[in-house]
Each structure stands twice: as C-alpha cells, then as structure tokens.
Amino acid sequence: MSRSTRTEPQPPAPHGADSHDLIRVLGARENNLKDVSIEIPKRRLTVFTGVSGSGKSSLVFNTIAAESQRLINETYSAFVQGFMPTLARPEVDVLEGLTTAIIVDQQRMGADPRSTVGTATDANAMLRILFSRLGTPHIGPPSAYAFNVPSVRASGAITVERGNKKAVKATFQRTGGMCPRCEGRGTVSDLDLTELYDDAKSLNEGAITIPGYGSEGWNMRLYKESGFVDPDKPIRRYTKKELRDFLHHEPVRMKIAGINMTYEGLIPRVQKSMLSKDREAMQPHIRAFVDRAVAFTTCPDCDGTRLSEGARSSTIDGVSIADACALQISDLAAWVRALDEPSVAPLLTALQQTLDSFVEIGLGYLALDRPAGTLSGGEAQRVKMIRHLGSSLTDVTYVFDEPTAGLHPHDIQRMNELLLRLRDKGNTVLVVEHKPETIAIADHVVDLGPGAGTGGGSVCFEGTVEGLRAGDTVTGRHFDDRAGVKENPREPTGTLEIRGARANNLREVDVDIPLGVLVAVTGVAGSGKSSLVHGSIPAGEGVVSVDQSPIRGSRRSNPATYTGLLDPIRKAFAKANGVKPALFSANSEGACPTCNGAGVIYSDLAMMAGVASPCEDCEGKRYQASVLEYRLGGRDISEVLAMSVDEAGEFFDAGEAATPAARRVLSRLSDVGLGYLTLGQPLTTLSGGERQRLKLATHMADKGGVYVLDEPTTGLHLADVEQLLGLLDRLVDSGKSVIVVEHHQAVMAHADWIIDLGPGAGHDGGRLVFEGTPAALVAARSTLTGEHLAAYVGA
C-alpha cells in the first residue's frame, strides 16, 4: 500500500449511551418556584444554596427526588402500587436524565420505644444471629434475642385425613426475647386513678376526667350505655364487680346506640390509646394529662434492657446481648473485632463494617439500645446514611438535606469526605446546604433566591464555587463573612448554678451559667451539650425551651392557627360585622361545605396517583361565599390569610383594621425573619428552619426569664444568621438570659460567654473543658472548639 493512500485510525464515534450526562429540569413550578430551568451534571457533587425559604427543598426534594420516586413506583405492578404511597406528578414541564434517587433527609425516626438505633440499622439483626450461634447457654434462634418478639406457646388438635380420620395433638412454641412485664418497652407505667375519674360523681355527672371523655362524646357513651355499670351511681358506691367491669374488663364486642363497638375497661383503654404512644408526639393537653396521671419507671424485671431473662442469661465471653447493645458503639466495634470464630467469619465481617461506619460517620458515641425517637434530626440523618456507605450501587442520585446539621466544625470535615466518597463511586450527589465548608467542596453550585417565599424561587447563579464567590448574589456576598469576637462582652447579672450533673454521659459537671447575657454551649456532637442544658436546667417557671422537635400539624394548620394569631383576627372581623367569630374559621361554621374548609378536593384514583384539585365552589378560598361578604378594612378573611406577615403587619397597624393583639404576634414573626410567610400557608410546606423559628416566635410571648435554644441556626442562610444574632441581642437587652446550644462559629464569636464540653464524644466527653469569653477561648486554643473558632476569626 502506498503512503498516500494509508489513513490514520479514526477515534471511535461517541456511544449514544454516554450522552446522558445531565439531569435537565425545565419549567419547575412547585411551591414558590418560578419556571425554574437548570441542568445538573451527573456523577458530580452539586450543592443547592440560598436563603431560608428560597425554594431549595421545592426543587431538590419536591421536584427531582419526588419524580424519580414516582417513576420507580410506576414500574411495579398495579397490585404492588396499591400498597405504596401514591405520589402526584410534580409541577414541572420536563424532567430528563433522572436516575434512582435515594433520599437521606432529617425526618425524625420512628418514635416507638421499641425502635432503637440497633433496630433502625442492621446491627441488631446481625448481633441476634451472632448470639444464637455462639451464645451459651443456647436458648434458641435469633428471635429468642429480639425484644420485639414475644414468646408464644399454643396447643390444640389437628385432623390428619389418612384413611380413617385421626386427631393428632400438636403443640406450637416460639421463643421470643421480649420481656413479658414491659412488653419490650423497657419502662412500666403506674396510673394514678384519682386523675382518671372523680369517684364522688356518677358517669352522667361527668365523672371521667380524661381528655376526650366529654359528656356527649362516644368514649363516654360507651361506658354509660354498656349495661355493665349504673350511669347514675357515684363511682365510690360501685360494687367490687362493677368497679372491675368499669376499670379492668377484657375487650368484648357489643352494640351501643345501634353501632358495633368494643367495650373494655377504662385502664386498658387508656393504656392502648394514650400510653402506647410516644410522649413527644402527643397533643399538649394529652401530654399534660399523661404527665399528671402516669409515672413511668424502669421495668424491674428486665432492668430497662427490654429483654427476657433467657435472652439476658446467654453470653459470649461473659457479655450478654443486653450488655453489647448498651456499650458505646466504638467499644462494641472493638469487642467484635476481638472475636475469632471461623464458623461465623462472614457475619463478623459484615457486623464489623456496619459498626465501623457508625464510628466513621461520627456516631461512635451512640449505643445500639438508644431509642431512635431521642436522636436529633442530624443524628437521624447520619444513621440513615450508614446503610448507603457500604452499598455497591453506582449511578444513583443521593439527595441530602443539610447533612452538617448538628455537626461541630471538627466533624464537618469527615462528613465532606463521605459525600466525596459517594460521588467518586460514580453517583450523583445533590446537597441542600448553608455551611460554607460544604459549599466549598462542590463541583457545581445552584444558588436560589433572591429572597424567600414569593421573593424567591428563581435561579440567581449556576456554576463553580469560584464563580459564586465572585458573583453578586446574597450567598456570594456573604460567603466569606466572618463574625469578629466580641470585644466588650456584657457583664452577667447573676448565675445559674449546676452541681454534679450526671445526665447521660456527663461526669459530675459543676458549672455556673451566667444570667443576663448570651451564653453559647459548645462541643463536638455527643459531648453532652443537650444533656447539660435540657437535663440540668429545671424546665420550671421562667424557663422557655425551644428545641428542634418537629411541629405536628395537618395541612389545615398554618402560621395563623399555630401562633394563635387567628383568634384576634376572627374577633376583629366578628366585632366589625356584628356576627360570631366561629364564622371566620375554615375548620368550623364558616367552612365551605363542598371541601370542608380544606380549599382542595382530594380524588383518590386507586392505583394511580391521587389528585388534589382546587375546590370549584370556593375557588380554594376555604370559606362559604356568605362569609366572604363580611369585610374588615375593605378585605375579606380569605384575602387577609393570603397576605404575607409583613403586609398583614401594616394592615392591622392602623385605621379601621387596627388590632393590637394581632400586631404583637405579627411583629414577633417578623423579628424571627418570617416576614415573607403567608398567614394561610399550610405548616406542612414549611422547611425545618422555618418551623423552629415559628416556634421561637410563639414562645417569645411566654413570661420567661431564661431562653434555652437548641441550634437555632439550623436551616439558616449565612445572611439570616446575622438577623438571628440581632434577635438574640434584643432578647438579652430586654433583660432575658439566652442559653444557646450551637455549632455555628458566628454565634460562638458573638456570645458573651462560652461553655465548652468535651474533649470527645460519648464516654470520651461529658467534661467541662473550657468556660470563659470567646476571646479567651481563641487565645488559649486549648480545645477543638477553640482551634476551629481561632481559624474562623482569622486569629
């Protein structure tokens, strides 16, 4: 072949499958998003940032992740889909290039007392198998070590048809690990009967004093019309049989007022309806009743371990499964590593990896028997991450909601490494985040804004971290903000003495908390901050505690109902129009009869996703047409509920609509940075940070002298943190004492006094390692917090 005719080898044409390198979103309109269109690179780490309420969660969780989840559900058969939650298609024109989404959010984990860190991960299941193989004495299969499985024995006769019929006696037996006394809860409850009923009264006179047992309610009718007791006879004159039937009768089906119902004694009924629920999940009036009527004590039979005597008696090298679950996970990992048993080598390897993941993710200070309901939002999110760290899946979209929540600056570095490791396995990682340390490691940044609520919902910047720093967005301008250490801290007006604090991992801590100033309690995650603040400061008169427990509200609840703002508004409308206030409640007489005041009609389409469509009669306004004819200051009630907090503040400030009581609540909402929320916005659409600030605004009216706040910067943008510091300053200047459990360096630098716990987490923490001014902490650099604060302020 001559030289001139030889051709160079051509590079192969790009394969069609390699062209799908982007997730394309066109025209997203969920919640406050305004026709957002973006392209997100796959197999990269993308951080979504922007002020609180700017639409980050609406884009990442309610659009991208929700559609991915919906499309996966649609691949299952119609039969299976019937058992799955039905998801509506998000408001978006085009979503292309989606991959399977795994959502790791901050929703609290199950609050049932039988749900623990061990049961929420695979660690407990693997330990049970380990003890069933190696434990001595051998007591049975893995279920014999499970505190969720009761022991069952049954006997009866079965008929075997072989020629002549023959009855064969058979017995069935299952060995479970549940403690029979506390039924696997670890605590038993004693009821104070004087709080359940007034024995001087009869049922017809309203003897039962339990919430929900009003004279006309079904609960009361059940007892009045059961025939077991005389409803006109005072309870103290009941015979022994009547009292037993009233208090302890076993469940029995009967007809009451023509309806089939189950009658049972008052005590088992209260235990099932109230005492089996998590205390924190109860409505306030029921929680107050339970606190009065019930004394919870550690189960004397199992000593709080939840396990039966047999399960506690079986040991490996002298350690029972109860002992293993009570160990700090970092110590349990060392114990498992020391076991050398070839017959269960694969199991030991898997258990070792799971326990090492806990330590690696910064949760080595937990124990497997810790109730899952007691974990903070950040801890719950990190526990959920554990099952994904060892996963072999690639090309998955992982979606995180502020993974640094509740993390000390020292731990954020480790979290960053985990996010990068997930990305490097070939996954797309989407993170909603405010902390500059995590934004800095992003391959791609999407900044939403420019404001919050109706002022947000647009993409302000898309590109690299360097481009964000140089850009003129709120995030870009505040990215390198550094608060300086307070030069002249305030002088305390007194002290709150804590002596010998021993809650959880605290080691006899003695500390004087100064009053009349801003105090920051700091330390790595698990060092004992919450134990000191919530466990040692008496939550009595004058102490207002605002924690991160979620607000429980239905889609009918909104900022106006939650803060009590709707009461003065309803009264003002009623007074101006000469009618009764109940007309102006969408949950009462004024509700649109078609949608029952919900504003939307929910159509359940069985196997397909349900649809919520605006009610045609009230056009989504939730009220009857006749109610909307009543006006105050030229506006009807639905127009007032559509106002933002700031607009409503001006409306109720002067003129015919002037309502001082409403104005006070609105100014508190503005103070905590929620001026953009609309009064009628459902609570279910609020972000975690917004809910905590709503709670703070509600509590600011309390007559408290000491405010205890648990990480109020959670979910706050860098720009919003400045506003929060201003609010804390105003509280202190008005004569309050503010104690803040916090990891954010800006709050530490701004504090008048720092109490630092550590030096580590779990049993390596629980000690007071520093107390003094932020300037002294920076100068000493004697603790992890001191080193990070010094680096932050550039000292």
Side-chain angles (χ1 to χ4, degrees), residues 139 141 143 150-155 170-176:
I139 58 162
S143 63
S151 292
V152 178
R153 287 178 184 80
S155 60
T171 58
F172 167 78
Q173 186 169 337
R174 180 183 69 194
T175 306

Side-chain angles (χ1 to χ4, degrees), residues 515-538:
L515 297 176
V517 296
L518 175 57
V519 178
V521 180
T522 61
V524 295
S527 60
K529 303 180 298 298
S530 296
S531 302
L532 179 69
V533 170
H534 297 300
S536 307
I537 297 175

